[in-house]
Amino acid sequence: MNACNFDRLFCEEAEKHRGKKLLLHCCCAPCSSACLERLKDYFDVTVLFYNPNIESAEYLRRKEELKRLIETTGWAAFMDCDFESEKFYAASKGLEDEKEGGGRCAACFKLRLEKTARLAEENGFGLFATTLTISPLKNAALINAIGESLESKNCLWLHSDFKKRGGYLRSCELSKEYNLYRQNYCGCVFSQRGNKLLENN
């Protein structure tokens, strides 16, 4: 059975829903840059920075950098929300030692997309999506499956695989162009701990 081509599906849905309001969950400015560049001509985009997995100092740094990108480019509006780190620790309880890309990451994706879907519906957005699929390290099929499970009659999931068509490389180019801070880990304490273990081996 052939895997779903989420990028082709994105192109079809972008044309079908052109002009609608889109709430885009964003993890950081570098990942958001290429996604917003691709989305801005299709949708009325609002960015949601909801990442309770990220440690507090890193969280604030990434949020301010994302706001700077948006203010500089004018590609989207910005929606802020509560940090809620306790929800991430509750969702990841028992999964602390999972490898990157495993069950802890799946729980984290679901937590963030649940919030995005709820806020999108409550605030009259017709669509919701995430920048997470731009990362070569993230499972686009898993992320899209979670998004599909959360859509409603009034608020649909916008499928994506933003790394396709050179998306990830474009995010690197835009990061240089706008002098964006690029982190080297997902942001959670467990990922950071894993990075340090790799560095010490």
Side-chain angles (χ1 to χ4, degrees):
M1 185 175 182
N2 292 331
C4 181
N5 186 328
F6 293 109
D7 183 54
R8 184 172 64 191
L9 195 52
F10 163 80
C11 293
E12 294 170 358
E13 292 176 349
E15 287 295 342
K16 180 180 178 181
H17 299 294
R18 184 184 285 271
K20 285 190 175 180
K21 291 175 62 180
L22 168 69
L23 186 62
L24 179 68
H25 165 264
C26 292
C27 55
C28 63
C31 288
S32 303
S33 62
C35 299
L36 287 170
E37 185 181 57
R38 191 172 292 183
L39 291 164
K40 65 183 176 59
D41 294 329
Y42 290 102
F43 305 109
D44 177 3
V45 184
T46 296
V47 160
L48 173 68
F49 189 77
Y50 179 67
N51 299 288
N53 57 308
I54 300 175
E55 289 297 287
S56 58
E58 180 75 9
Y59 176 93
L60 291 172
R61 185 175 185 182
R62 292 192 197 187
K63 182 169 78 168
E64 290 308 309
E65 197 71 343
L66 179 58
K67 289 169 74 174
R68 182 174 71 83
L69 174 68
I70 291 169
E71 289 166 3
T72 301
T73 62
W75 287 344
F78 185 83
M79 180 187 289
D80 202 355
C81 58
D82 294 334
F83 182 26
E84 300 182 334
S85 60
E86 71 283 357
K87 292 191 176 180
F88 168 69
Y89 287 109
S92 59
K93 189 173 179 60
L95 303 170
E96 296 87 349
D97 294 324
E98 288 264 334
K99 292 182 178 179
E100 286 298 294
R104 185 182 68 246
C105 292
C108 183
F109 297 157
K110 185 178 179 184
L111 173 66
R112 290 185 279 174
L113 291 180
E114 282 176 339
K115 180 85 166 190
T116 307
R118 182 170 62 78
L119 288 175
E121 180 145 30
E122 289 176 355
N123 290 278
F125 289 86
L127 300 164
F128 70 104
T130 182
T131 62
L132 289 169
T133 64
I134 200 168
S135 170
L137 302 176
K138 300 289 191 294
N139 184 333
L142 172 62
I143 293 166
N144 279 287
I146 294 170
E148 287 173 1
S149 74
L150 296 170
E151 70 177 8
S152 67
K153 180 180 178 181
N154 297 320
C155 189
L156 302 176
W157 168 252
L158 178 67
H159 294 86
S160 72
D161 193 350
F162 287 121
K163 71 178 72 65
K164 300 296 185 181
R165 289 182 282 139
Y168 177 73
L169 292 177
R170 181 60 178 154
S171 75
C172 295
E173 293 170 355
L174 288 168
S175 294
K176 291 180 181 177
E177 181 178 337
Y178 291 103
N179 193 29
L180 300 176
Y181 160 65
R182 285 186 74 87
Q183 64 284 343
N184 63 357
Y185 71 109
C186 87
C188 81
V189 65
F190 310 114
S191 172
Q192 187 178 38
R193 183 176 65 192
N195 271 10
K196 288 179 178 177
L197 287 172
L198 287 173
E199 289 169 3
N200 292 330
N201 287 333

